Short mmCIF file of all heavy atoms in Angstrom, two decimals:
data_model
loop_
_atom_site.label_atom_id
_atom_site.label_comp_id
_atom_site.label_asym_id
_atom_site.label_seq_id
_atom_site.Cartn_x
_atom_site.Cartn_y
_atom_site.Cartn_z
N GLN Z 1 49.52 -21.75 -61.70
CA GLN Z 1 49.82 -20.52 -60.94
C GLN Z 1 48.54 -19.81 -60.50
O GLN Z 1 48.52 -19.17 -59.44
CB GLN Z 1 50.67 -19.58 -61.78
CG GLN Z 1 52.09 -20.06 -62.00
CD GLN Z 1 52.92 -19.03 -62.76
OE1 GLN Z 1 52.95 -17.86 -62.40
NE2 GLN Z 1 53.57 -19.46 -63.82
N ILE Z 2 47.50 -19.92 -61.29
CA ILE Z 2 46.23 -19.30 -60.92
C ILE Z 2 45.61 -20.06 -59.75
O ILE Z 2 45.15 -19.45 -58.78
CB ILE Z 2 45.27 -19.28 -62.13
CG1 ILE Z 2 45.90 -18.53 -63.30
CG2 ILE Z 2 43.93 -18.62 -61.75
CD1 ILE Z 2 45.17 -18.70 -64.60
N LYS Z 3 45.63 -21.38 -59.82
CA LYS Z 3 45.09 -22.18 -58.72
C LYS Z 3 45.81 -21.86 -57.40
O LYS Z 3 45.18 -21.82 -56.34
CB LYS Z 3 45.24 -23.67 -59.03
CG LYS Z 3 44.34 -24.19 -60.14
CD LYS Z 3 44.61 -25.67 -60.37
CE LYS Z 3 43.75 -26.24 -61.47
NZ LYS Z 3 44.03 -27.68 -61.71
N GLU Z 4 47.12 -21.65 -57.50
CA GLU Z 4 47.91 -21.38 -56.29
C GLU Z 4 47.55 -20.05 -55.63
O GLU Z 4 47.85 -19.83 -54.45
CB GLU Z 4 49.40 -21.41 -56.63
CG GLU Z 4 49.91 -22.82 -56.96
CD GLU Z 4 51.31 -22.82 -57.52
OE1 GLU Z 4 51.88 -21.72 -57.71
OE2 GLU Z 4 51.84 -23.91 -57.79
N LYS Z 5 46.91 -19.16 -56.39
CA LYS Z 5 46.51 -17.85 -55.85
C LYS Z 5 45.17 -17.89 -55.13
O LYS Z 5 44.77 -16.92 -54.49
CB LYS Z 5 46.42 -16.83 -56.99
CG LYS Z 5 47.75 -16.53 -57.70
CD LYS Z 5 48.64 -15.64 -56.86
CE LYS Z 5 49.88 -15.23 -57.63
NZ LYS Z 5 50.77 -14.38 -56.81
N ILE Z 6 44.45 -19.01 -55.22
CA ILE Z 6 43.11 -19.10 -54.66
C ILE Z 6 43.17 -19.28 -53.14
O ILE Z 6 43.86 -20.17 -52.63
CB ILE Z 6 42.32 -20.27 -55.30
CG1 ILE Z 6 42.12 -20.01 -56.80
CG2 ILE Z 6 40.97 -20.45 -54.62
CD1 ILE Z 6 41.46 -21.15 -57.54
N SER Z 7 42.43 -18.45 -52.43
CA SER Z 7 42.35 -18.55 -50.97
C SER Z 7 41.35 -19.63 -50.58
O SER Z 7 40.25 -19.70 -51.13
CB SER Z 7 41.89 -17.22 -50.38
OG SER Z 7 42.73 -16.16 -50.76
N ASN Z 8 41.75 -20.48 -49.62
CA ASN Z 8 40.87 -21.54 -49.11
C ASN Z 8 40.17 -22.29 -50.24
O ASN Z 8 38.93 -22.33 -50.32
CB ASN Z 8 39.83 -20.95 -48.16
CG ASN Z 8 40.46 -20.23 -46.99
OD1 ASN Z 8 41.38 -20.74 -46.36
ND2 ASN Z 8 39.99 -19.02 -46.70
N PRO Z 9 40.93 -22.88 -51.15
CA PRO Z 9 40.33 -23.53 -52.32
C PRO Z 9 39.45 -24.73 -51.94
O PRO Z 9 39.76 -25.49 -51.02
CB PRO Z 9 41.55 -23.99 -53.12
CG PRO Z 9 42.64 -24.13 -52.12
CD PRO Z 9 42.40 -23.05 -51.12
N VAL Z 10 38.36 -24.85 -52.67
CA VAL Z 10 37.48 -26.01 -52.56
C VAL Z 10 37.54 -26.75 -53.89
O VAL Z 10 37.30 -26.16 -54.95
CB VAL Z 10 36.03 -25.59 -52.25
CG1 VAL Z 10 35.12 -26.80 -52.22
CG2 VAL Z 10 35.97 -24.84 -50.92
N ILE Z 11 37.88 -28.03 -53.83
CA ILE Z 11 38.07 -28.81 -55.05
C ILE Z 11 36.94 -29.82 -55.21
O ILE Z 11 36.59 -30.54 -54.27
CB ILE Z 11 39.43 -29.55 -55.03
CG1 ILE Z 11 40.58 -28.56 -54.87
CG2 ILE Z 11 39.61 -30.38 -56.31
CD1 ILE Z 11 41.94 -29.19 -54.65
N ARG Z 12 36.38 -29.83 -56.41
CA ARG Z 12 35.33 -30.80 -56.71
C ARG Z 12 35.66 -31.48 -58.03
O ARG Z 12 35.91 -30.80 -59.04
CB ARG Z 12 33.98 -30.10 -56.79
CG ARG Z 12 32.81 -31.06 -57.03
CD ARG Z 12 31.49 -30.32 -57.03
NE ARG Z 12 30.39 -31.20 -57.37
CZ ARG Z 12 29.15 -30.78 -57.61
NH1 ARG Z 12 28.86 -29.48 -57.52
NH2 ARG Z 12 28.19 -31.63 -57.91
N ASP Z 13 35.70 -32.80 -58.03
CA ASP Z 13 36.01 -33.57 -59.23
C ASP Z 13 34.73 -34.00 -59.94
O ASP Z 13 33.85 -34.62 -59.32
CB ASP Z 13 36.85 -34.80 -58.89
CG ASP Z 13 38.24 -34.44 -58.40
OD1 ASP Z 13 38.71 -33.35 -58.75
OD2 ASP Z 13 38.85 -35.25 -57.68
N ILE Z 14 34.63 -33.66 -61.21
CA ILE Z 14 33.49 -34.03 -62.04
C ILE Z 14 34.01 -34.54 -63.37
O ILE Z 14 34.79 -33.86 -64.04
CB ILE Z 14 32.55 -32.84 -62.28
CG1 ILE Z 14 32.04 -32.26 -60.96
CG2 ILE Z 14 31.37 -33.24 -63.18
CD1 ILE Z 14 31.31 -30.94 -61.11
N ALA Z 15 33.60 -35.75 -63.76
CA ALA Z 15 33.98 -36.33 -65.05
C ALA Z 15 35.49 -36.31 -65.27
O ALA Z 15 35.97 -36.07 -66.38
CB ALA Z 15 33.27 -35.59 -66.19
N GLY Z 16 36.23 -36.58 -64.20
CA GLY Z 16 37.68 -36.65 -64.30
C GLY Z 16 38.39 -35.31 -64.31
O GLY Z 16 39.61 -35.26 -64.52
N ILE Z 17 37.66 -34.22 -64.10
CA ILE Z 17 38.23 -32.87 -64.11
C ILE Z 17 38.10 -32.28 -62.71
O ILE Z 17 37.05 -32.36 -62.08
CB ILE Z 17 37.50 -31.97 -65.12
CG1 ILE Z 17 37.59 -32.55 -66.53
CG2 ILE Z 17 38.08 -30.54 -65.10
CD1 ILE Z 17 36.64 -31.91 -67.51
N SER Z 18 39.19 -31.69 -62.22
CA SER Z 18 39.17 -31.02 -60.92
C SER Z 18 38.82 -29.55 -61.09
O SER Z 18 39.54 -28.82 -61.79
CB SER Z 18 40.53 -31.17 -60.22
OG SER Z 18 40.75 -32.51 -59.84
N PHE Z 19 37.75 -29.13 -60.46
CA PHE Z 19 37.32 -27.73 -60.48
C PHE Z 19 37.70 -27.12 -59.13
O PHE Z 19 37.27 -27.59 -58.08
CB PHE Z 19 35.82 -27.63 -60.72
CG PHE Z 19 35.39 -28.12 -62.07
CD1 PHE Z 19 35.12 -29.46 -62.28
CD2 PHE Z 19 35.28 -27.24 -63.14
CE1 PHE Z 19 34.74 -29.93 -63.54
CE2 PHE Z 19 34.89 -27.69 -64.39
CZ PHE Z 19 34.62 -29.03 -64.60
N VAL Z 20 38.53 -26.08 -59.18
CA VAL Z 20 39.03 -25.44 -57.97
C VAL Z 20 38.31 -24.10 -57.80
O VAL Z 20 38.41 -23.22 -58.65
CB VAL Z 20 40.55 -25.23 -58.04
CG1 VAL Z 20 41.07 -24.68 -56.71
CG2 VAL Z 20 41.27 -26.54 -58.38
N ASN Z 21 37.60 -23.96 -56.68
CA ASN Z 21 36.80 -22.77 -56.43
C ASN Z 21 37.34 -22.01 -55.22
O ASN Z 21 37.83 -22.60 -54.26
CB ASN Z 21 35.35 -23.16 -56.13
CG ASN Z 21 34.68 -23.81 -57.30
OD1 ASN Z 21 34.05 -23.14 -58.10
ND2 ASN Z 21 34.82 -25.13 -57.43
N GLY Z 22 37.23 -20.69 -55.28
CA GLY Z 22 37.65 -19.87 -54.15
C GLY Z 22 37.84 -18.42 -54.59
O GLY Z 22 37.42 -18.03 -55.68
N LEU Z 23 38.48 -17.66 -53.73
CA LEU Z 23 38.66 -16.23 -53.97
C LEU Z 23 40.09 -15.91 -54.39
O LEU Z 23 41.05 -16.42 -53.83
CB LEU Z 23 38.33 -15.43 -52.71
CG LEU Z 23 36.87 -15.41 -52.25
CD1 LEU Z 23 36.77 -14.77 -50.88
CD2 LEU Z 23 36.00 -14.67 -53.26
N ILE Z 24 40.20 -15.06 -55.40
CA ILE Z 24 41.45 -14.39 -55.74
C ILE Z 24 41.14 -12.90 -55.74
O ILE Z 24 40.27 -12.44 -56.49
CB ILE Z 24 42.00 -14.80 -57.12
CG1 ILE Z 24 42.25 -16.31 -57.18
CG2 ILE Z 24 43.28 -14.04 -57.45
CD1 ILE Z 24 42.74 -16.79 -58.56
N GLU Z 25 41.85 -12.14 -54.91
CA GLU Z 25 41.61 -10.69 -54.84
C GLU Z 25 40.13 -10.38 -54.58
O GLU Z 25 39.55 -9.45 -55.15
CB GLU Z 25 42.06 -10.02 -56.15
CG GLU Z 25 43.52 -10.18 -56.49
CD GLU Z 25 44.43 -9.30 -55.65
OE1 GLU Z 25 43.91 -8.44 -54.92
OE2 GLU Z 25 45.66 -9.47 -55.73
N ASP Z 26 39.51 -11.19 -53.71
CA ASP Z 26 38.09 -11.03 -53.36
C ASP Z 26 37.14 -11.28 -54.52
O ASP Z 26 35.96 -10.91 -54.46
CB ASP Z 26 37.83 -9.63 -52.77
CG ASP Z 26 38.52 -9.43 -51.42
OD1 ASP Z 26 38.59 -10.40 -50.65
OD2 ASP Z 26 39.01 -8.31 -51.18
N VAL Z 27 37.64 -11.89 -55.58
CA VAL Z 27 36.81 -12.26 -56.72
C VAL Z 27 36.63 -13.77 -56.71
O VAL Z 27 37.62 -14.52 -56.65
CB VAL Z 27 37.44 -11.80 -58.05
CG1 VAL Z 27 36.60 -12.28 -59.24
CG2 VAL Z 27 37.61 -10.29 -58.08
N MET Z 28 35.39 -14.25 -56.77
CA MET Z 28 35.12 -15.68 -56.76
C MET Z 28 35.43 -16.26 -58.15
O MET Z 28 34.94 -15.76 -59.17
CB MET Z 28 33.66 -15.96 -56.40
CG MET Z 28 33.34 -17.45 -56.30
SD MET Z 28 34.28 -18.32 -55.02
CE MET Z 28 33.50 -17.65 -53.55
N VAL Z 29 36.26 -17.31 -58.16
CA VAL Z 29 36.65 -17.93 -59.43
C VAL Z 29 36.45 -19.44 -59.35
O VAL Z 29 36.44 -20.04 -58.27
CB VAL Z 29 38.12 -17.63 -59.78
CG1 VAL Z 29 38.35 -16.14 -59.95
CG2 VAL Z 29 39.08 -18.21 -58.75
N CYS Z 30 36.31 -20.03 -60.51
CA CYS Z 30 36.32 -21.49 -60.69
C CYS Z 30 37.35 -21.77 -61.77
O CYS Z 30 37.20 -21.30 -62.90
CB CYS Z 30 34.94 -22.00 -61.10
SG CYS Z 30 34.88 -23.78 -61.40
N VAL Z 31 38.39 -22.52 -61.42
CA VAL Z 31 39.51 -22.77 -62.35
C VAL Z 31 39.60 -24.26 -62.64
O VAL Z 31 39.52 -25.09 -61.72
CB VAL Z 31 40.84 -22.27 -61.76
CG1 VAL Z 31 41.97 -22.47 -62.76
CG2 VAL Z 31 40.74 -20.80 -61.36
N ALA Z 32 39.77 -24.60 -63.91
CA ALA Z 32 39.85 -26.01 -64.29
C ALA Z 32 40.87 -26.23 -65.40
O ALA Z 32 41.03 -25.39 -66.29
CB ALA Z 32 38.49 -26.52 -64.75
N GLN Z 33 41.54 -27.37 -65.33
CA GLN Z 33 42.40 -27.84 -66.42
C GLN Z 33 41.62 -28.89 -67.19
O GLN Z 33 41.31 -29.96 -66.68
CB GLN Z 33 43.68 -28.46 -65.86
CG GLN Z 33 44.59 -29.03 -66.95
CD GLN Z 33 45.75 -29.85 -66.37
OE1 GLN Z 33 46.08 -29.71 -65.19
NE2 GLN Z 33 46.34 -30.70 -67.21
N CYS Z 34 41.29 -28.56 -68.44
CA CYS Z 34 40.40 -29.44 -69.20
C CYS Z 34 41.13 -30.57 -69.92
O CYS Z 34 40.52 -31.58 -70.29
CB CYS Z 34 39.61 -28.63 -70.22
SG CYS Z 34 40.59 -27.87 -71.54
N ASN Z 35 42.44 -30.43 -70.13
CA ASN Z 35 43.27 -31.30 -70.97
C ASN Z 35 43.04 -30.95 -72.45
O ASN Z 35 41.98 -30.46 -72.82
CB ASN Z 35 43.02 -32.79 -70.72
CG ASN Z 35 43.50 -33.22 -69.35
OD1 ASN Z 35 44.61 -32.90 -68.94
ND2 ASN Z 35 42.66 -33.94 -68.61
N PRO Z 36 44.06 -31.20 -73.29
CA PRO Z 36 43.99 -30.75 -74.68
C PRO Z 36 42.89 -31.44 -75.49
O PRO Z 36 42.55 -32.60 -75.26
CB PRO Z 36 45.38 -31.11 -75.23
CG PRO Z 36 46.26 -31.16 -74.03
CD PRO Z 36 45.39 -31.72 -72.94
N GLY Z 37 42.35 -30.69 -76.44
CA GLY Z 37 41.38 -31.25 -77.37
C GLY Z 37 39.99 -30.68 -77.20
O GLY Z 37 39.58 -30.25 -76.11
N LYS Z 38 39.23 -30.69 -78.30
CA LYS Z 38 37.92 -30.06 -78.32
C LYS Z 38 36.90 -30.76 -77.43
O LYS Z 38 36.11 -30.11 -76.75
CB LYS Z 38 37.42 -29.98 -79.76
CG LYS Z 38 38.12 -28.93 -80.61
CD LYS Z 38 37.82 -29.11 -82.10
CE LYS Z 38 36.33 -29.08 -82.38
NZ LYS Z 38 36.03 -29.41 -83.80
N VAL Z 39 36.89 -32.08 -77.43
CA VAL Z 39 35.91 -32.80 -76.61
C VAL Z 39 36.20 -32.57 -75.13
O VAL Z 39 35.29 -32.31 -74.34
CB VAL Z 39 35.90 -34.30 -76.94
CG1 VAL Z 39 34.98 -35.05 -75.98
CG2 VAL Z 39 35.43 -34.53 -78.37
N ASN Z 40 37.46 -32.66 -74.73
CA ASN Z 40 37.83 -32.38 -73.34
C ASN Z 40 37.40 -30.97 -72.93
O ASN Z 40 36.88 -30.75 -71.83
CB ASN Z 40 39.33 -32.53 -73.14
CG ASN Z 40 39.78 -33.97 -73.11
OD1 ASN Z 40 39.04 -34.85 -72.69
ND2 ASN Z 40 41.00 -34.23 -73.55
N ALA Z 41 37.64 -30.02 -73.83
CA ALA Z 41 37.30 -28.62 -73.54
C ALA Z 41 35.79 -28.43 -73.41
O ALA Z 41 35.31 -27.74 -72.52
CB ALA Z 41 37.85 -27.71 -74.63
N ALA Z 42 35.03 -29.06 -74.30
CA ALA Z 42 33.57 -28.94 -74.26
C ALA Z 42 33.01 -29.61 -73.01
O ALA Z 42 32.11 -29.06 -72.35
CB ALA Z 42 32.96 -29.57 -75.51
N LEU Z 43 33.53 -30.78 -72.67
CA LEU Z 43 33.10 -31.49 -71.46
C LEU Z 43 33.32 -30.64 -70.22
O LEU Z 43 32.43 -30.50 -69.37
CB LEU Z 43 33.88 -32.80 -71.35
CG LEU Z 43 33.68 -33.64 -70.09
CD1 LEU Z 43 32.26 -34.18 -70.04
CD2 LEU Z 43 34.69 -34.78 -70.04
N CYS Z 44 34.50 -30.05 -70.12
CA CYS Z 44 34.85 -29.20 -68.99
C CYS Z 44 33.92 -27.99 -68.91
O CYS Z 44 33.43 -27.64 -67.83
CB CYS Z 44 36.31 -28.77 -69.11
SG CYS Z 44 36.87 -27.66 -67.81
N THR Z 45 33.69 -27.36 -70.04
CA THR Z 45 32.87 -26.14 -70.07
C THR Z 45 31.44 -26.42 -69.65
O THR Z 45 30.86 -25.68 -68.84
CB THR Z 45 32.90 -25.52 -71.48
OG1 THR Z 45 34.26 -25.34 -71.90
CG2 THR Z 45 32.19 -24.17 -71.50
N GLN Z 46 30.85 -27.49 -70.18
CA GLN Z 46 29.46 -27.79 -69.82
C GLN Z 46 29.35 -28.16 -68.34
O GLN Z 46 28.40 -27.75 -67.66
CB GLN Z 46 28.91 -28.92 -70.69
CG GLN Z 46 27.40 -29.10 -70.56
CD GLN Z 46 26.63 -27.88 -71.04
OE1 GLN Z 46 26.74 -27.46 -72.18
NE2 GLN Z 46 25.82 -27.28 -70.15
N ALA Z 47 30.33 -28.91 -67.84
CA ALA Z 47 30.31 -29.26 -66.41
C ALA Z 47 30.44 -28.02 -65.54
O ALA Z 47 29.76 -27.89 -64.51
CB ALA Z 47 31.43 -30.26 -66.10
N MET Z 48 31.30 -27.09 -65.95
CA MET Z 48 31.47 -25.85 -65.20
C MET Z 48 30.18 -25.05 -65.17
O MET Z 48 29.78 -24.51 -64.13
CB MET Z 48 32.62 -25.03 -65.80
CG MET Z 48 32.93 -23.76 -65.05
SD MET Z 48 34.35 -22.84 -65.75
CE MET Z 48 35.74 -23.77 -65.09
#
């Protein structure tokens, strides 16, 4: 639902994770689904 709120989203795939960038309410955001688990979460965070 957060991704769907992004205006003119730009998607970049890194290490199997899609990072969606753009504006929500004039605020620049980067949104990602890391998949469950600590390693997935750490991988996503460092890439972001």
Side-chain angles (χ1 to χ4, degrees):
Q1 290 184 51
I2 303 168
K3 290 179 181 179
E4 290 170 357
K5 296 284 186 181
I6 296 175
S7 304
N8 302 313
V10 176
I11 302 172
R12 184 177 175 189
D13 292 336
I14 302 170
I17 301 166
S18 291
F19 295 86
V20 185
N21 296 268
L23 293 171
I24 300 177
E25 300 285 351
D26 294 323
V27 176
M28 183 62 71
V29 299
C30 178
V31 183
Q33 177 190 341
C34 66
N35 292 313
K38 287 167 57 186
V39 174
N40 285 330
L43 174 66
C44 178
T45 307
Q46 191 64 58
M48 183 177 281

